[in-house]
């Protein structure tokens, strides 16, 4: 069907016919436009982008030998450094340090806690030592004893007042625009998008649905036990420091199994902490699979780091394995036309 | 529009018109039929059924003051005794005992295990004592050391050969027909259906999608840690006996929080082990909510028990609380026209 401009000087009946043809044509044009429009406008048209688009096309094309039925289209995204920054500190650590300082005068028992003293003295290397033992201790400490509702309220309150020291914006306005497009693109193709992060599940669930479109039940993170009780006739769940599960490194495939129960076919990460889940997603997976590493190469617009990060996010071993494993490496500086939403 | 039978003796043009009208009418009839057809045909038209239908209608009617947005329509179902029987033994215990007997000759270290001796001697009361300590020990024992894939294969193999002692059918053909209808009905109204069961998540995930239409990521159950490793170049997860989480009693609201991360608005259970999640669902929930107890009253077609169950499934305290809490009690004998699928 070809489209012609609306013509004058014809009978009313013919005019109506022309209008109908015109409307049909516009509809077709709009459809064709939607079909051809770029689902990832903040991504440069590079080989990496093409490879991601081709993967999604091939696993969702029912005629393709690589077709994967919709229920198996599980895709997992690390959070810190993959969906939003992790500098100068992972945002949950910034929250926990702010909480610690705010409450310190009212918590005399914290005075004998050496990690608390490191925190007050802003001795970050001490806190980051021993596979983040200090970080997790503080993160648990400021949550422990609160009900899950109280904890969520504190996170919400912090997000509404705290500001990122460099970008001077609320933390939850710093999601990476290219990754928001990626999440939407995968979901539009029948994928379920999950966060699988070293961050606390209860922390991320406060904003994940609003910011990323990821509902609480698709947020997998570090956690400790909660205890159920009735308090003044209302059911509450109390956060404790018991049975810490660290959803990082080899904890990520374990967390994926425990919370999702099947292997993902696509995985996005940015550090060696994501290497195990990249492996679990891509090595000898009976389904076609995709592994993507976001490499922070953009000191001007965001940060540049791999071997010697400021805080978390070391990327050495996973980067070295990438070529052999076929993992795509995104060069943030060159592959992302935009970093943050305007 | 009224529908008339196809008429003969008219002109071909009119015949065509009649055929078109007839086809339109049939379409309308089919639609009207679908609208009026009973979504719960295995449920007797009782007050209980009406109350469930009214709840679902009211929370899904955008004009209703009780309207609940789709992402918050979380509904949780206990498994043993709610979606399928738990007699004469919970099915996972039957599996574990069969596995124990099968492997006993090859596992000399089991000879010193008193719970294993109770199992071999079929001393069920000993196994059921201490909040099912013995049961969970055996369930973990036959899984421990296996990869998650090996474990799933064993469950699959058992389901394909074992037979229920009374009903003489494979265990996974014993789902309750009325509950399969209920799951489908809730899903058709935009609810996400979750299993929240004392049973092992890895056990239930083998059949939950096929039997109940519930995908692995919506199965919450008891669990222990899994350990990630590369074995002969392939990623595997090894089941261990570490950090048992018992998803029963007060563990159910804890499990719901940890795995789902928001309060359900509907809950189906059958025993005192479901009381805490019935409370968590219905007491002071800011959203409208529904609590339902399946009362086993049908010795002829299934089983009749509450105070003194044969194995698990004691129902005393939750039943006593039901009127005060507004929980609906399903009388299996009278409310269910069918128990199992034909």
């Amino acid at each position: 069907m070809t489209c012609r401009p609306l013509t004058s000087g014809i009978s009313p009946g013919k005019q109506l016919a022309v209008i109908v043809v015109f409307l049909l044509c516009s509809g077709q044009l709009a459809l064709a436009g939607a079909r051809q429009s770029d689902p990832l406008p903040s991504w440069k048209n590079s080989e990496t982008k093409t490879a991601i688009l081709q993967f999604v096309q091939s696993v969702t094309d029912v005629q393709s030998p690589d077709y994967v039925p919709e229920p198996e289209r599980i895709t997992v995204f690390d959070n810190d450094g993959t969906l939003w920054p992790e500098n100068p500190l992972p945002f949950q650590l910034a929250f926990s340090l702010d909480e610690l300082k705010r409450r310190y005068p009212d918590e005399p028992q914290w005075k004998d806690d050496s990690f608390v003293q490191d925190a007050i003295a802003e001795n970050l290397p001490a806190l980051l030592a021993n596979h983040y033992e200090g970080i997790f201790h503080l993160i648990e400490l400021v949550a422990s004893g609160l009900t899950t509702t109280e904890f969520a309220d504190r996170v919400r309150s912090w997000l509404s007042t705290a500001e990122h020291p460099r970008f001077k914006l609320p933390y939850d306005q710093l999601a990476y625009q290219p990754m928001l497009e990626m999440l939407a693109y995968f979901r539009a193709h029948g994928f379920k998008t999950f966060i699988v992060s070293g961050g606390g599940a209860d922390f991320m669930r406060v904003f994940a649905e609003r910011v990323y479109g990821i509902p609480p039940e698709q947020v997998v993170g570090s956690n400790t036990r909660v205890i159920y009780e009735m308090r003044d006739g209302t059911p509450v769940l109390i956060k404790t420091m018991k049975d810490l599960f660290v959803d990082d490194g080899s904890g990520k495939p374990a967390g994926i199994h425990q919370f999702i129960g099947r292997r993902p076919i696509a995985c996005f990460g940015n550090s060696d902490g994501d290497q195990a889940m990249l492996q679990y997603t891509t090595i000898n997976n009976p389904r076609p699979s995709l592994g993507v590493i976001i490499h922070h190469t953009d000191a001007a617009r965001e940060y540049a780091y791999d071997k010697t990060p400021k805080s978390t996010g070391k990327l050495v071993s996973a980067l070295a394995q990438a070529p052999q494993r076929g993992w795509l490496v995104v060069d943030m500086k060159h592959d992302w036309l935009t970093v943050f939403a305007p």
Side-chain angles (χ1 to χ4, degrees), chain A:
Chain A
M1 182 185 283
T2 52
C3 289
R4 290 172 305 158
L6 202 63
T7 329
S8 62
I10 49 175
S11 75
K14 275 192 180 160
Q15 273 185 6
L16 180 67
V18 168
I19 289 169
V20 168
V21 168
F22 174 78
L23 289 175
L24 286 170
C25 287
S26 340
Q28 281 241 332
L29 276 178
L31 261 177
R35 242 180 267 131
Q36 284 160 18
S37 79
D38 185 348
L40 303 174
S42 300
W43 291 72
K44 196 180 138 189
N45 290 319
S46 65
E47 276 179 30
T48 308
K49 176 174 174 173
T50 304
I52 295 172
L53 293 172
Q54 279 176 350
F55 170 78
V56 170
Q57 292 301 328
S58 74
V59 300
T60 55
D61 173 4
V62 79
Q63 307 296 334
S64 158
D66 287 341
Y67 178 73
V68 176
E70 197 160 322
E72 292 183 43
R73 290 182 211 154
I74 300 291
T75 177
V76 290
F77 295 82
D78 169 58
N79 184 40
D80 297 309
T82 299
L83 296 180
W84 72 7
E86 58 189 331
N87 274 312
L89 289 179
F91 295 178
Q92 187 174 8
L93 183 54
F95 160 75
S96 300
L97 293 178
D98 283 353
E99 278 290 282
L100 203 78
K101 286 170 191 162
R102 186 177 70 79
R103 291 171 51 195
Y104 188 70
D106 303 321
E107 305 279 359
Q109 76 284 6
W110 286 0
K111 293 208 165 50
D112 302 325
D113 186 315
S114 68
F115 288 125
V116 173
Q117 295 308 323
D118 287 335
I120 298 290
E122 302 196 348
N123 182 359
L124 203 60
L127 289 175
L128 291 170
N130 298 324
H131 193 65
Y132 315 140
E133 192 194 339
I135 290 184
F136 277 105
H137 176 76
L138 296 182
I139 285 175
E140 289 170 62
L141 195 66
V142 299
S144 173
L146 302 181
T147 68
T148 51
T149 309
E150 288 165 348
F151 177 74
D153 286 343
R154 291 197 183 183
V155 175
R156 215 170 276 120
S157 155
W158 179 78
L159 285 173
S160 70
T161 54
E163 199 174 69
H164 189 277
R166 174 172 165 195
F167 300 114
K168 308 293 180 201
L169 280 171
Y171 286 93
D172 55 1
Q173 289 181 27
L174 292 172
Y176 300 137
Q177 178 62 23
M179 295 307 292
L180 294 180
E181 293 167 7
M182 192 63 77
L183 288 166
Y185 174 62
F186 270 78
R187 284 195 291 260
H189 286 78
F191 280 77
K192 260 193 182 176
T193 54
F194 285 81
I195 290 176
V196 176
S197 167
D202 284 351
F203 180 79
M204 296 184 287
R205 281 168 173 165
V206 175
F207 57 83
E209 190 158 39
R210 177 172 49 84
V211 174
Y212 303 134
I214 297 181
E217 64 270 24
Q218 287 163 220
V219 173
V220 180
S222 297
N223 61 70
T224 50
R225 301 291 190 211
V226 292
I227 290 173
Y228 174 75
E229 62 182 54
M230 291 289 287
R231 192 175 274 184
D232 302 327
T234 293
V236 293
L237 292 158
I238 318 287
K239 288 177 73 69
T240 76
M241 299 178 75
K242 194 165 172 276
D243 286 352
L244 170 66
F245 170 71
V246 178
D247 190 46
D248 192 37
S250 61
K252 289 205 176 196
I256 289 170
H257 176 75
Q258 212 135 32
F259 285 79
I260 307 177
R262 54 179 146 205
R263 283 178 84 169
I265 63 165
C267 173
F268 290 75
N270 78 299
S271 77
D272 289 348
D274 301 314
Q275 185 173 343
M277 80 165 170
L278 284 161
Q279 292 175 342
Y280 185 58
T281 303
T282 61
I283 300 178
N284 294 339
N285 190 333
R287 292 296 191 185
S289 61
L290 174 76
V292 181
I293 295 174
I294 311 297
H295 190 189
H296 291 259
T297 51
D298 196 336
R301 296 184 302 172
E302 204 249 5
Y303 297 92
Y305 58 97
D306 43 34
K307 275 182 221 68
T308 51
K310 266 195 166 90
S311 60
T312 61
K314 186 172 170 179
L315 176 65
V316 176
S317 164
L319 196 60
Q321 264 199 18
Q324 163 199 356
R325 300 296 186 198
W327 299 334
L328 303 175
V329 179
V330 173
D331 179 336
M332 188 185 271
K333 184 172 176 177
H334 295 103
D335 284 327
W336 285 7
L337 302 178
T338 312
V339 175
F340 303 110

